[in-house]
Amino acid sequence: MAQIWNDDDGERWAADADRRDRVLAPVGDSLFGAARLRPGERVLDVGCGCGATTLLAAGQVAPGGTATGLDVSAPMLRVARARQESGGVANASFVHADAETHPLPGPFDAVISRFGTMFFADPARALAATAGGLVPGGRLIMATWQPPDVNPWLTVPGEAIMRHAVTAVDLRDRRMFTQSDPEVVERLLTGAGFARVRLDGVRVPLPVGTDVADAAEYLAGTGPGRAQLAAVADADREAALRDMRTALAEHAGPDGVRLEAAIWIVTAFRPD
Ligand SMILES: C[S@@+](CC[C@H](N)C(=O)[O-])C[C@H]1O[C@@H](n2cnc3c(N)ncnc32)[C@H](O)[C@@H]1O
């Protein structure tokens, strides 16, 4: 997994960081709404990627608090550090490490993660280490995806593309959905030593593009979009993209194209 985030996927995320952060901003809003960070707190952002949520957390815990972003991806951390420097955020830092094997640089009052916990090869081990990095009574707040079939940002473009596909693509098999089942999440976190595990289902509108062409380009470049387009024969690819643009046009408004996302905001506590 580390290699993937240092090669193709990491470079892709790094290159598209600003746009992706605009799209995922409503997810961050839900995460921070639940996290209720306070000045003076020490926060760890696990799988922080390009650092947008780490830098937001740093602002919320100032003065007196710190935000540490931890990620295994060198290209994404390059973006995070450049953003930190250009924003002059003095109370944030970034650690290049694998959350599964690296002792966490704690202790922390809170651990946050926006879609950074579902790619662990051994999530039980990584989440146990996360619990160990929290002070007693400390909290974990993470955003994970609900299943693909209840996510219009996937079903709207996906159904249009898959009308042209020659092979089936089951998005449920993708790693990003490994923490979509509440029972799985609850079992994982309880096994990792967390208590009072709670999943709140939240639906947020994602601004996927400034117009239909921009939205189509963004969605075709996501992991699910690329997997579905790869199932379409070359000769039919343009027709699939045209159908996708037609489907997206129904969701276009004066502020661009918005599609709903269904996520879980998960909270859990290290017992006192
Ligand atoms: C879907 S991205 C989310 C990035 C960021 N949280 C965001 O919202 O933009 C998943 C992130 O988890 C990181 N990641 C995956 N496995 C990891 C591990 N074992 N240790 C640390 N980071 C990891 C990846 O490098 C990637 O940055």
Side-chain angles (χ1 to χ4, degrees), residues 23-31 115 143-146 150-153 200-208 258-265:
V23 174
L24 295 182
V27 176
D29 292 344
S30 298
L31 185 76
F115 303 140
T144 68
W145 292 110
Q146 291 189 32
V150 296
N151 265 289
W153 76 276
D200 287 309
V202 176
R203 297 183 78 85
V204 288
L206 299 186
V208 290
R258 285 176 195 273
L259 292 174
E260 227 179 32
I263 59 172
W264 296 115
I265 295 294

Side-chain angles (χ1 to χ4, degrees), residues 70 95-105 125 129-130:
L70 184 141
V95 178
H96 184 199
D98 187 326
E100 292 182 54
T101 52
H102 183 84
L104 294 186
R125 178 174 168 184
T130 305

Side-chain angles (χ1 to χ4, degrees), residues 5 13 21 24 47-49 70-73 76 97-100 114-116 119-120:
W5 290 104
W13 273 68
D21 282 323
L24 295 182
C48 66
L70 184 141
D71 204 284
V72 78
S73 167
M76 293 170 80
D98 187 326
E100 292 182 54
R114 186 179 70 179
F115 303 140
F119 301 93
F120 298 139

Side-chain angles (χ1 to χ4, degrees), residues 50-70:
C50 301
T53 46
T54 317
L55 298 175
L56 281 172
Q60 296 192 3
V61 297
T66 57
T68 307
L70 184 141

